[in-house]
Amino acid sequence: MVTAREIAELCGVSVATVSRVFNQPASVSGPTRERVERVARELDFSPNESARALSRKQSAMIGLVWDTDHRRPGWRHPFLQDLLLGLKSALSSHGYHLLLLATSDDARSRTPGVSLADPVGYVSMTRRHHLAGLVLIDSGSDAEAFTAFARSGLPCVALDVAISGPKATYVTSDNVRGAADAVAHLAGLGHRRIATLTGPRDNTPAAERTRGYRDGLAAAGLEARDDYVVSGDFYRESGFVGMRRLLARKEPPTAVFAASDEMAVGALLAARATGLRVPDDLAVVGFDDIEVASLVDPALTTIAQDKPGFGTAAAEALLKMIETDAAPEPVLLPTRLVVRDSCGA
Amino acid sequence: MVTAREIAELCGVSVATVSRVFNQPASVSGPTRERVERVARELDFSPNESARALSRKQSAMIGLVWDTDHRRPGWRHPFLQDLLLGLKSALSSHGYHLLLLATSDDARSRTPGVSLADPVGYVSMTRRHHLAGLVLIDSGSDAEAFTAFARSGLPCVALDVAISGPKATYVTSDNVRGAADAVAHLAGLGHRRIATLTGPRDNTPAAERTRGYRDGLAAAGLEARDDYVVSGDFYRESGFVGMRRLLARKEPPTAVFAASDEMAVGALLAARATGLRVPDDLAVVGFDDIEVASLVDPALTTIAQDKPGFGTAAAEALLKMIETDAAPEPVLLPTRLVVRDSCGA
DNA sequence: CTGAAAGCGCTTACAG
DNA sequence: CTGAAAGCGCTTACAG
C-alpha cells in the first residue's frame, strides 16, 4: 500500500500538499499538482478511506437500512434490485458507496460494543461508521424507528414512508393519482361496479391508493360502496381470499383494482377458481408492474411505478442534503398505466 | 460522540484498558471489566470504526462486487434479494457489514483519486477501504476481473464462477446433477425426444447444465442429438426463439429442458404461439425456481436452486478464510426438482 | 502557494 | 493485569 507520505517524498513536497492535490486542487500550483498527480498515478496510489474518514469525521458511505420485517417472514421488496441499481449508480458518481447495515436483529451479534450500544443497532452502526447519510427502505413496520432517524439530524431519505426532520425527506409514487388512473381506466371501459383490494391499514402508500380509488370513483360519478373495499396485505394470498369475498357479495363487482400486483394475481387466481373468465367476467388492474405482471395469463393491466427512479431520486435528495443544508421537498414519482389483457381494453 | 478516552477517564483507567475490554476481555480483571462495560453502556459508547480500521489495517466490511454487465443491459440476477438476505444475516452475526461497491463504471466518478487509480475501480476501492473480504457476483462476463481478485490474496468468494487462489473459492449449484435430474424426470414420463435450451456459451453453470443434460440422456439410454441442443442466453426471448427453432425440426422434440426459468417461460410462449399445448404436446422443465415459475400457466416444473443458501454459504466460506488461513473447498449446493404442471406429471 | 504540527480515535507491542 | 507511547494515514487550521 503506497501512502501519501511516499508520494510526498518522491515529489519533494509535504504530505499536506499531496492531500491538497486530491481535495482542493485549485489551491496547489500547476506544476506541483501535475507532478503529484503523475507520481500518484504511476504508483497507483489510493488514499486510505479509514484515515480520511477519521480525520474528516465523515465517511464516504451511505447506510442502507433494509430490514426484513420479522412480522412478515416471506416479505420481499417488489423491486429491490432496480432500486439498488439506481441508487448505486447515482451515488457512485459522487464518490459514495452503499453500506448495507447488518444489525443484531439479523442474528445474535457478537460485534464488540454492539451489545453495549443501543438495542436498535442501526443507530449505533450509523454513528460508528460516521455515515454521510441514510436510505431507509420500508419493510412494513419500521415507522417509529424511521422517525427516530429523521430527528437525528443525519441526512435521511425514506422510501415509501413519510418522514420529516431537519435533514429528512422521502420519495414515494404518486399513489393517489395512480389509483385514480386505474379506476378511470375501468370506468372508461364501462364498469360501474368497481371494487378494490387494499394494502395493510398501517401502510401509507396503501392508504393513498385507497384514497385514489375513491377519487377515481367520484370522478367517474360512481358511488363508493363499503362492501366493495376489502383489505389485504399486499400478498397474493390476501388477494385471493379478498377476491373470493368480493365475488360472494349479493351484487358482485365486475372490476377490481388491487393495490399490488401480487394481490392482483391472487384475484386472477380467485376468478379462475370461481369459474369466471378474466377479462370477460371480471376486469383486474394491479399496481407496481413487477415482472410477473406480464407473464400471468391474462397479462395484467397495471399501474407501473418508476423503479429505478426511486433509487436515483433518493440519491439526489441525499446528495442535496449532504452538500447544502436544506431538506428537499418529498419526491412524488409519477406512475404510468400499462394496458395489457386483464381488462379487455 | 463519546470516545474511549472519556470512558477511560470516568473509570480511572487508560484507554488501552478500555480497548482491551472490547477486544480481549479475558485479559482484563473482572471488576475493571465490569466497570468499564457499565459506564460504556450508560454513555452509549460505540467505538469509531474508522479509527479501528485504521489502526488494525482491516475494516469490518465485506465488499460486494456486483456490476451490471454493460453488454447485457436488461440483466437481472434471478434471486439477488434472497442472496443478500442470506449474506447479510450470516455476516452480521460475526460483526461484518456489506459494502456495495460502486465503481466508475456506474457513472463517471469524480471521487478524488479514482481517476488516478487503476481503471478497474474495484481493486482500488477494495484497497482504500481495507476490506476484510469480497463477494463476487457473476454478471455474465467478469471472469478475468474475478481471476485478478482471486490472485490478490484477499479472501474472495465468487458466486457461480469458478475461481481459485490462495484465499479464494466459490459457491455454485450442483448444475450437472440438477440438469440430469430434469432429464431423468422427463425420461421417466416416457419422453424420448428431449431437447435443451442452453445458457450462454461462456457461462460455466450453463455449460454444466448442458453436461448434465447429456448425462441424463445417457443414463436414460437416450441418444444425444446435436439438433436438439439450441443455445440461448438465459433470457426469455432466447427461449422463445430457440423453442421455435426446435419445433421446426423435421422430428420435433416432445420435451425440453431449459437452463433457466426465463427461457422456459419463453418456450411456453413459443409453444402457445405454435398452437401446441403444454404439457400435452410439449413438456417443459426449467431451472432456478424464480417467483414467476409458479405463476405461469401451466405452472412450471423446475430445478430449484438454494437461493438463501448461496448467501449463507458464501458468508461461511469468507469467514473461514478470514479467521483461519485456508481456502475452503468450493461449495456445491444441492438442487431440488419441483414438480408442477408443465410436464403433466 | 506551501510546510510543520496537531489531531482524528482507536490498537498493540513493550515494559512493568 | 495495566499503562505510557508509538503508530495507523490522512486533513486542516495556522503561519509564513
Side-chain angles (χ1 to χ4, degrees):
Chain A
M1 286 283 319
V2 18
T3 67
R5 149 122 59 153
E6 299 175 49
I7 306 294
E9 283 169 359
L10 284 170
C11 294
V13 298
S14 69
V15 290
T17 297
V18 173
S19 175
R20 286 191 195 100
V21 167
F22 292 105
N23 297 305
Q24 341 171 21
S27 77
V28 179
S29 77
T32 307
R33 174 157 27 90
E34 280 156 27
R35 187 149 34 96
V36 171
E37 283 174 344
R38 185 171 48 71
V39 173
R41 198 176 318 115
E42 282 167 2
L43 296 195
D44 198 13
F45 166 65
S46 26
N48 180 313
E49 291 292 339
S50 303
R52 182 178 260 188
L54 180 59
S55 72
R56 279 193 185 162
K57 301 173 177 304
Q58 159 100 250
S59 77
M61 301 187 296
I62 301 292
L64 187 64
V65 175
W66 167 52
D67 241 351
T68 46
D69 187 342
H70 307 284
R71 299 188 232 161
R72 302 195 199 172
W75 163 266
R76 288 291 176 279
H77 187 97
F79 48 83
L80 185 77
Q81 190 159 174
D82 288 300
L83 193 159
L84 288 180
L85 236 32
L87 253 182
K88 181 165 110 87
S89 75
L91 289 177
S92 73
S93 64
H94 290 246
Y96 288 100
H97 298 271
L98 265 181
L99 187 65
L100 230 164
L101 258 15
T103 59
S104 40
D105 292 338
D106 293 316
R108 274 159 301 113
S109 171
R110 65 183 205 204
T111 319
V114 154
S115 54
L116 301 176
D118 89 48
V120 178
Y122 280 131
V123 185
S124 158
M125 283 302 146
T126 298
R127 270 206 314 255
R128 299 162 83 105
H129 288 279
H130 264 307
L131 299 179
L134 235 37
V135 172
L136 310 170
I137 299 187
D138 184 30
S139 75
S141 64
D142 302 312
E144 328 73 39
F146 283 12
T147 308
F149 279 122
R151 275 201 253 277
S152 74
L154 186 76
C156 286
V157 19
L159 305 184
D160 274 339
V161 184
I163 59 171
S164 66
K167 288 203 182 179
T169 192
Y170 62 94
V171 4
T172 188
S173 281
D174 190 343
N175 292 296
V176 176
R177 159 89 59 120
D181 288 349
V183 173
H185 180 65
L186 291 168
L189 293 171
H191 290 279
R192 308 199 54 80
R193 302 209 305 267
I194 305 173
T196 189
L197 294 163
T198 77
R201 299 179 183 290
D202 58 349
N203 180 277
T204 310
E208 291 171 348
R209 288 169 203 172
T210 303
R211 185 141 52 86
Y213 159 78
R214 291 190 206 285
D215 288 358
L217 289 182
L222 297 174
E223 188 197 355
R225 302 171 51 155
D226 284 347
D227 62 331
Y228 278 3
V229 178
V230 170
S231 68
D233 61 6
F234 281 151
Y235 290 105
R236 194 190 314 171
E237 181 62 20
S238 76
F240 183 87
V241 173
M243 195 66 234
R244 296 202 77 136
R245 292 242 308 277
L246 286 169
L247 293 175
R249 303 282 192 241
K250 324 93 250 233
E251 201 176 29
T254 62
V256 66
F257 161 62
S260 75
D261 282 351
E262 281 280 340
M263 290 196 298
V265 169
L268 249 34
L269 264 23
R272 188 183 300 169
T274 318
L276 295 179
R277 288 161 310 157
V278 176
D280 309 282
D281 305 321
L282 179 74
V284 178
V285 182
F287 202 105
D288 285 342
D289 195 26
I290 59 179
E291 197 201 352
V292 165
S294 62
L295 287 174
V296 286
D297 185 30
L300 197 60
T301 289
T302 190
I303 303 295
Q305 297 200 64
D306 181 2
K307 305 171 191 63
F310 268 81
T312 47
E316 279 163 21
L318 216 37
L319 292 166
K320 200 171 295 175
M321 291 191 270
I322 293 171
E323 286 165 8
T324 76
D325 240 346
E329 291 297 299
V331 179
L332 217 56
L333 297 170
T335 58
R336 192 169 45 86
L337 171 71
V338 177
V339 177
R340 285 194 272 252
D341 310 324
S342 63
C343 296
Chain B
M1 285 284 320
V2 18
T3 66
R5 147 123 59 151
E6 300 175 48
I7 306 292
E9 283 168 0
L10 283 170
C11 293
V13 299
S14 68
V15 290
T17 297
V18 173
S19 175
R20 287 192 194 99
V21 168
F22 293 103
N23 297 305
Q24 340 171 22
S27 76
V28 180
S29 77
T32 306
R33 174 157 26 92
E34 280 156 27
R35 187 150 33 95
V36 171
E37 283 174 345
R38 185 171 47 71
V39 173
R41 199 177 316 116
E42 284 167 2
L43 296 195
D44 197 14
F45 166 66
S46 28
N48 180 313
E49 290 291 340
S50 302
R52 184 178 261 186
L54 180 59
S55 72
R56 280 193 184 161
K57 298 172 179 305
Q58 159 102 250
S59 78
M61 302 187 296
I62 301 293
L64 186 65
V65 174
W66 168 54
D67 242 350
T68 45
D69 187 341
H70 308 283
R71 297 188 234 162
R72 301 195 198 174
W75 163 267
R76 289 290 174 280
H77 188 98
F79 48 84
L80 184 78
Q81 190 159 174
D82 288 299
L83 193 159
L84 288 181
L85 236 32
L87 252 182
K88 180 166 111 89
S89 75
L91 289 177
S92 74
S93 65
H94 291 244
Y96 288 101
H97 298 270
L98 265 181
L99 187 65
L100 229 163
L101 259 16
T103 58
S104 39
D105 291 338
D106 293 317
R108 274 159 300 114
S109 172
R110 63 182 207 204
T111 318
V114 154
S115 55
L116 300 177
D118 89 47
V120 179
Y122 279 130
V123 184
S124 157
M125 284 302 145
T126 298
R127 270 207 314 254
R128 299 162 82 105
H129 289 277
H130 264 309
L131 300 179
L134 236 35
V135 173
L136 310 170
I137 299 186
D138 183 30
S139 74
S141 63
D142 302 313
E144 328 73 39
F146 284 12
T147 308
F149 279 122
R151 274 201 254 276
S152 76
L154 186 77
C156 287
V157 19
L159 305 184
D160 273 339
V161 183
I163 59 170
S164 67
K167 289 203 179 178
T169 191
Y170 61 94
V171 4
T172 189
S173 281
D174 191 342
N175 292 295
V176 177
R177 159 89 59 119
D181 287 349
V183 172
H185 180 65
L186 291 168
L189 293 172
H191 291 280
R192 308 198 56 79
R193 301 209 305 265
I194 306 174
T196 189
L197 295 163
T198 76
R201 299 180 184 290
D202 57 350
N203 180 276
T204 310
E208 291 170 349
R209 290 171 203 170
T210 303
R211 184 142 51 88
Y213 159 78
R214 292 190 206 283
D215 288 359
L217 289 182
L222 298 174
E223 187 197 355
R225 303 168 50 153
D226 284 347
D227 61 332
Y228 278 2
V229 179
V230 170
S231 68
D233 61 7
F234 281 151
Y235 291 104
R236 194 188 315 169
E237 181 61 21
S238 75
F240 183 86
V241 173
M243 194 68 233
R244 297 202 76 138
R245 293 242 309 276
L246 286 169
L247 293 175
R249 302 283 192 241
K250 328 91 251 238
E251 200 175 29
T254 62
V256 66
F257 161 61
S260 75
D261 282 352
E262 282 280 341
M263 288 195 299
V265 169
L268 248 35
L269 263 25
R272 187 182 302 168
T274 319
L276 295 179
R277 288 160 310 157
V278 176
D280 309 281
D281 303 322
L282 178 74
V284 177
V285 182
F287 202 105
D288 284 343
D289 196 26
I290 59 180
E291 198 202 352
V292 165
S294 62
L295 286 174
V296 286
D297 184 31
L300 197 61
T301 290
T302 189
I303 303 296
Q305 297 201 63
D306 181 1
K307 305 171 191 67
F310 268 82
T312 48
E316 279 162 22
L318 217 35
L319 292 166
K320 199 171 294 174
M321 290 190 270
I322 293 171
E323 285 164 9
T324 77
D325 241 346
E329 289 298 299
V331 180
L332 218 54
L333 297 171
T335 58
R336 191 170 46 86
L337 172 70
V338 177
V339 176
R340 284 195 275 252
D341 310 324
S342 61
C343 296

